[in-house]
Amino acid sequence: MQHFWLSILSGLCLQLVLPCKAEEGLEFPNFDGKDRVLDINERNYKKALKRYDLLCLFYHEPVPANKGLQKRFQMTELVLELTAQVLEDKDIGFGMVDSQKDAKVAKKLGLEEVGSVYVFKEDRVIEFDGELSADTLVEFLLDVLEDPVEIINNAMELRAFERMEEDIRLIGYFKGEDSYFKAFQEASERFQPYIKFFATFEKSVAKHLSLKMNEVNFYEPFMEEPAILPGRPLSEMDIIEFVNQHRRATLRKLRAENMFEIWEDDMDGIHIVAFAEEEDPDGYGFLEVLKDVARENTNNPELSIVWIDPDDFPLLTTYWEKTFKLDLFRPQIGVVNVTDADSVWLDMSNDEDLPTAEDLEDWIEDVLSGKVNTEDDDEFADDQEDDRYVLEDGDESPGPDEEDDEDD
Amino acid sequence: MQHFWLSILSGLCLQLVLPCKAEEGLEFPNFDGKDRVLDINERNYKKALKRYDLLCLFYHEPVPANKGLQKRFQMTELVLELTAQVLEDKDIGFGMVDSQKDAKVAKKLGLEEVGSVYVFKEDRVIEFDGELSADTLVEFLLDVLEDPVEIINNAMELRAFERMEEDIRLIGYFKGEDSYFKAFQEASERFQPYIKFFATFEKSVAKHLSLKMNEVNFYEPFMEEPAILPGRPLSEMDIIEFVNQHRRATLRKLRAENMFEIWEDDMDGIHIVAFAEEEDPDGYGFLEVLKDVARENTNNPELSIVWIDPDDFPLLTTYWEKTFKLDLFRPQIGVVNVTDADSVWLDMSNDEDLPTAEDLEDWIEDVLSGKVNTEDDDEFADDQEDDRYVLEDGDESPGPDEEDDEDD
């Protein structure tokens, strides 16, 4: 029953519980009690689509009969209400679509995954598959409101562009807002806000990037050199197809805004997961090694490493430590089976130094060949071939991992 | 009455409201209903202090009689409960101290600000004055648990150190863990986790930083050259005094973990506030100019600019846009009066290019001399000398803003 408080508290800001501070300027929003979220149905959905720049719909299961679940459901509504209130001046409509009662509307709108949020912008539908908190949703919607193509005008903006190594980015050089630019822009709308599109009309910027007129470059995260899209000028479909083929990066950072999407995009049921705090000297060093490995293996379609910076997910850190039996004050790399969260981790605890790029490549090769996998320990926990690998359910305890906790 | 939902929803993650995903590995924590937060009183406070590595106490006003306020209070408790649950394995105690019922205990513990969270670690007390959400508090406590001095062993870690330009950092070169290092360590504990302390025992690292044996350097955020602490070897008090004198930086970034502390540390009732999204080419460029200005004026004790990256505060972005009448899709700089949130902003809307460092310095000079201030518009809204400045309460309305607001 109390479970519905659960995640409510994730980001709960107590500031308003505290006595008023004398200073003004940092007030977190209060839900004002006004209903802004529409109950979408056959009669009003077309009007809602027309009326707003963006329409943000939560596609949900029927309201449950159980009281505890009802409260949860109300909380969901309240998150949408707060998001709607915060974004009140932005011309965004919000609504709920019941998968049973409004099945026809859902079909017409193309809603598929119950529990997802769908954002309608002009003739496009964007699925939000991130952490469904007000913070993350607000940030996502603000990103969707921006122009899908950002123009790079000068050397300073170019430097900003070059620093965004964590993102998938495309940049094109165009004469101006001509038909080729428009094709690029149309393509960009398909991927907004997940993939970033830039354009320049400046010869000096293009020269610095070695971009020819009407050429488009694709930057995979953490890679030094871009891929050049074949052919020019490019049609909208040329660009869309290229991006779809290349969007799973060799090294991808988990972010709140698309964490579930990335997690669902596993490689045959597993993920290679690396934990590294970028702000920590150890973590930074490990990440640099990881980037080297990714750069060396960027053409291997079998390889995609999910990098998680624990600093970005404070509430998940101890959950991961428990689930994977890890110390996340240190960098870690392992294989996670996404169906049961079973995992096996590279043992770096006894090394003074972090593994080299070669060590990591050897280990990754063992993972890809199946030599290192999450299943061996289930059957042969006592019988490890290689003690460099720490099994998730504890390399010192011979028994199954349900063992009683004897200390404390 | 509904106001207590307010900020509850800030970071509410709906993931558990959604139907179960097939994948495992990203489960946000559920509050399990178990009480972990102690009611601290005269009988148990000493035991609590002894028992845990860290003790985290919320110092609160008496439980209100009003039902709505009571609910808010319960939410506060639940945030602490969730934090306690998430950090269950970390040997951290949590408690509540009633400012009335437990006045004696509060006095003995040195608790002063009702509404604050105090963290006890060994013989130190650390006040938490950030956004009181479970995310931020968990991250803060994890930081407090780490060693207060991080050792830099090699070139890679040195690079990580050099990248942390947003933080106040100290680094010392010591022979090993001798008495001089210990003095440095003792000093570091006073500032953990707000100010970062590093040490190296490696000659090559020291040489790269031009550090002599037993010397300590102080890096102000965004400055290229460090200040050298006078004298060596340094005592704990030498270091503490130097840090206290220099901790208000010329350019400081607002962060969730100390946002209220920074905001309370105003300069004669005002803040110079710059909004700039670092991930945005425009914002990045503006920030680079701002850094140049800060570097030029680092010795001016009158100047401290608060940089806010709107990306870090999605729920406050539209509040700021409304309060300050700004478009935060673009960079902005202005003066905010912290008592009434009255403000005046540099007009950059008509410029193709961002202001140069010289433009900004001229404007800052006008702010510091009082020529640009938040009060003029109250009296002479019609009579502006310089139309580069946009007045926050609307430069088109002629009346003083203390009178009844006629429009709207």
Side-chain angles (χ1 to χ4, degrees), chain B residues 204-388:
Chain B
S204 59
V205 172
K207 200 180 157 197
H208 181 94
L209 297 169
S210 312
L211 268 175
K212 298 191 189 108
M213 180 60 72
N214 294 323
E215 197 170 69
V216 174
N217 279 357
F218 177 95
Y219 287 77
E220 186 183 327
F222 310 109
M223 297 301 138
E224 268 149 4
E225 292 302 318
I228 302 171
L229 271 70
R232 66 190 165 104
L234 294 148
S235 70
E236 181 189 344
M237 278 315 294
D238 291 338
I239 299 167
I240 290 173
E241 273 170 26
F242 189 92
V243 174
N244 281 334
Q245 262 173 43
H246 294 80
R247 70 182 297 180
R248 183 194 278 161
T250 309
L251 179 60
R252 29 183 189 168
K253 186 176 184 184
L254 197 76
R255 295 163 186 267
E257 80 219 38
N258 64 349
M259 56 190 294
F260 298 104
E261 186 194 339
I262 285 189
W263 204 249
E264 284 166 27
D265 181 34
D266 53 62
M267 315 285 284
D268 292 325
I270 63 149
H271 275 302
I272 297 180
V273 176
F275 288 102
E277 262 184 72
E278 198 176 13
E279 289 263 306
D280 179 82
D282 251 14
Y284 176 80
F286 184 68
L287 194 57
E288 288 299 300
V289 176
L290 210 57
K291 286 180 199 171
D292 283 344
V293 172
R295 283 172 197 139
E296 281 298 308
N297 296 278
T298 181
N299 294 319
N300 183 351
E302 305 288 306
L303 181 64
S304 181
I305 303 168
V306 177
W307 164 37
I308 302 179
D309 189 328
D311 272 352
D312 295 337
F313 301 95
L315 291 185
L316 287 177
T317 303
T318 53
Y319 156 77
W320 283 319
E321 287 189 326
K322 266 184 226 169
T323 308
F324 303 140
K325 300 206 165 63
L326 289 177
D327 169 13
L328 290 185
F329 282 134
R330 299 173 50 91
Q332 303 283 356
I333 189 164
V335 188
V336 176
N337 182 324
V338 296
T339 25
D340 55 9
D342 203 3
S343 64
V344 51
W345 300 87
L346 179 62
D347 183 7
M348 309 193 277
S349 58
N350 298 321
D351 298 334
E352 278 237 341
D353 294 316
L354 293 167
T356 63
E358 291 72 43
D359 293 341
L360 268 192
E361 284 194 79
D362 289 346
W363 179 82
I364 286 169
E365 214 168 274
D366 288 350
V367 172
L368 296 181
S369 72
K371 202 174 146 197
V372 171
N373 65 69
T374 60
E375 304 308 314
D376 277 0
D377 59 315
D378 298 346
E379 287 161 46
F380 312 110
D382 231 9
D383 186 14
Q384 293 165 48
E385 271 178 48
D386 186 339
D387 63 4
R388 263 188 83 80

Side-chain angles (χ1 to χ4, degrees), chain A residues 10 12 24 86 133 135 318 338, chain B residues 10 12 24 86 133 135 318 338:
Chain A
S10 314
L12 165 45
E24 285 197 25
V86 164
S133 66
D135 308 59
T318 55
V338 297
Chain B
S10 316
L12 165 46
E24 284 198 26
V86 164
S133 65
D135 307 59
T318 53
V338 296

Side-chain angles (χ1 to χ4, degrees), chain B residues 141-152:
Chain B
L141 291 169
L142 288 175
D143 283 348
V144 174
L145 280 176
E146 291 204 57
D147 288 335
V149 179
E150 182 107 34
I151 309 297
I152 300 294

Side-chain angles (χ1 to χ4, degrees), chain A residues 6-8 10 12-13 16 24-25 30 72 76 79 86 90 132-133 135 164 263 279 318 320-321 338, chain B residues 6-8 10-13 16-17 24-25 30 72 79 86 90 132-133 135 164 263 279 318 320-321 338:
Chain A
L6 48 105
S7 39
I8 296 168
S10 314
L12 165 45
C13 172
L16 290 159
E24 285 197 25
N30 247 355
R72 279 204 216 177
T76 316
V79 168
V86 164
K90 299 287 183 191
L132 210 38
S133 66
D135 308 59
M164 302 177 186
W263 205 249
E279 288 264 305
T318 55
W320 283 319
E321 287 189 327
V338 297
Chain B
L6 46 103
S7 37
I8 295 167
S10 316
L12 165 46
C13 172
L16 290 159
V17 182
E24 284 198 26
N30 246 356
R72 279 205 216 178
V79 168
V86 164
K90 298 288 183 190
L132 211 37
S133 65
D135 307 59
M164 303 177 185
W263 204 249
E279 289 263 306
T318 53
W320 283 319
E321 287 189 326
V338 296

